[in-house]
Amino acid sequence: MQPESTSGTSGGALAIPMAWLCAEYIADEMLRTSSLVEVGSLEYRAGRETLALTICLCDGSDEAAGLRSLSRIEEWLNLTAYGHPWSDWVTERLAGRAERERGIGGRPDPDLALAETSWRWLRRTELLAADLGDSEPWHPSNSMDAIVDECSQIWTPAWQLGLPLSHLAIHLY
């Protein structure tokens, strides 16, 4: 029996979000092996979603081969580094992909749909994190004299916690 939806990109076949699934697998592998946070926690999900978005939205058709490429890993490190306007970059990339989708006859892109869902979750979900006393809650204060009270916590968007987790996971991989 044929599935009801066959609006894929390969001649009537089912549309499978391979780029997203591959990016999510790589992100999961990096975070699990880094052992930075407990697997299954909201913090873990924030890191996985952030890293998967970074990987998926980078240019390149073969993310799995890109994992072995030093230049690809350096690109991911640069994108997740402190000071990079990551959220603006994600918004621009998603808008560009949506525009391309409209330009190719409006065929739905399953990778884009999952990436947009992930981005909505990362923006709307807030996690309780240590208040490090900076406008960027995950970045340590530049002052050497500053004392951080780790018991003091603030609510922060999930992507702001996921970004440094992603960066560290890439370093440790």
Side-chain angles (χ1 to χ4, degrees), residues 14-15 18 44 53 56 59 111 117 126 128 131 135 143 151:
L14 192 61
M18 290 307 295
Y44 182 86
L53 262 177
C56 188
D59 288 333
D111 294 308
T117 299
E126 290 190 343
L128 196 57
D131 183 2
S135 63
S143 171
C151 293

Side-chain angles (χ1 to χ4, degrees), residues 73-118:
I73 290 173
E74 287 174 8
E75 181 180 10
W76 298 342
L77 282 170
N78 289 335
L79 289 168
T80 59
Y82 176 73
H84 183 275
W86 185 85
S87 64
D88 295 338
W89 177 82
V90 169
T91 303
E92 290 170 11
R93 289 291 178 128
L94 288 173
R97 286 208 175 174
E99 185 65 33
R100 277 194 301 258
E101 182 180 292
R102 282 191 295 276
I104 58 172
R107 281 191 308 226
D109 179 358
D111 294 308
L112 177 61
L114 288 174
E116 288 174 336
T117 299
S118 178

Side-chain angles (χ1 to χ4, degrees), residues 122 125-130 136-138 154-161:
L122 285 165
T125 303
E126 290 190 343
L127 303 175
L128 196 57
E136 297 289 334
W138 55 270
I154 59 169
W155 289 99
T156 184
W159 71 267
Q160 287 185 352
L161 185 61

Side-chain angles (χ1 to χ4, degrees), residues 151-171:
C151 293
S152 175
Q153 296 184 327
I154 59 169
W155 289 99
T156 184
W159 71 267
Q160 287 185 352
L161 185 61
L163 202 54
L165 287 173
S166 298
H167 189 76
L168 288 171
I170 296 165
H171 266 294

